[in-house]
Amino acid sequence: MAEKIENKKDENNWNDSLDYTYSSIKETMFETITFIEGRYRTKSKDEVIETGIRWLEFCKEDLVVLGARPSIGKTSFTLSLISEFILNKNIPVGLVIPGTINRDIGMRLLAINSEVAIQKIRSGMLRIGDVKAIQKTAGFLFDAPLYFYDEPNCSFRNIKDNIIKMALESHIQLLFVDGFEYIQEIIDADAENYRTRLAKLLTSFKDLAMELHIPIILTVNLPATKKNDEPSFQDFRKNMIFVDKADKILFLHRNRLYNCTKYQEAKLILLKNTAGAIGDFPLHFYPYTCKFTCV
């Protein structure tokens, strides 16, 4: 009898230790229909944000992963996209850059939007026409709704606190995290707990997107290859949790062409999209200004 009581206690302790419990289809359907009815009543186009790239759009509460091999231009593409939002659409954007100094981001934005070569801006070797173009662009960017958080090796907790503050005070409608691998939880993870921390971090970002009702776009480095092969899901083979957690998976690809005087052909590859079609988007990359444009 004592043994049965002891087993019952062990069973209860095991049950108490569970983070989640099972549910029925009745509960799921009730939650789903309530959500759909809420969307039906509003019928608002505010649920999606057009990017300026053909039929690519971000849905509110999307978790988007943008991957590319090293030195392909993730940051440049991100800033080209942000420029469209803040200058042409007047959409407030938050940008987390844990591995970058925001002065460098400022110079990149000036190059992308002024058509002055980034090397000239960094070196100071400018002509009068360049200076005027930079000053004019700086005037536009000065009042643009872009907000930075650039603490080195920042934790998710600090990111969340600052992004909630951005949402309350500056009403950001999108969040970009450029340099996902520089977040403290990823840097400090060892081989044994890396996947667990990665899964928890992605879930936390998805929860934040839902809480603030905004899309969150994370940029991720993909493994380098000798031939600079086109990215695919195979690049996530050790971290398929990215594919599982994200609502959209985007890959940026281009062939590195040296001695290019005008532009290089590039493309954005949409391989997962829970809200619509998948496909490729042709782009042009201008190496002197590091600007991406849609074709």
Side-chain angles (χ1 to χ4, degrees), residues 41-54:
R41 289 193 192 99
T42 57
K43 290 183 180 178
S44 175
K45 283 191 174 181
D46 291 340
E47 292 303 318
V48 297
I49 298 176
E50 296 179 352
T51 63
I53 301 177
R54 226 172 15 170

Side-chain angles (χ1 to χ4, degrees), residues 97-131:
I97 43 175
T100 311
I101 300 172
N102 60 10
R103 182 176 62 244
D104 181 64
I105 297 296
M107 288 190 287
R108 288 175 181 240
L109 283 169
L110 285 172
I112 286 170
N113 293 287
S114 70
E115 306 296 330
V116 177
I118 185 67
Q119 292 88 346
K120 288 185 176 182
I121 293 175
R122 284 176 172 159
S123 66
M125 302 295 289
L126 302 167
R127 296 181 178 182
I128 296 298
D130 297 330
V131 173

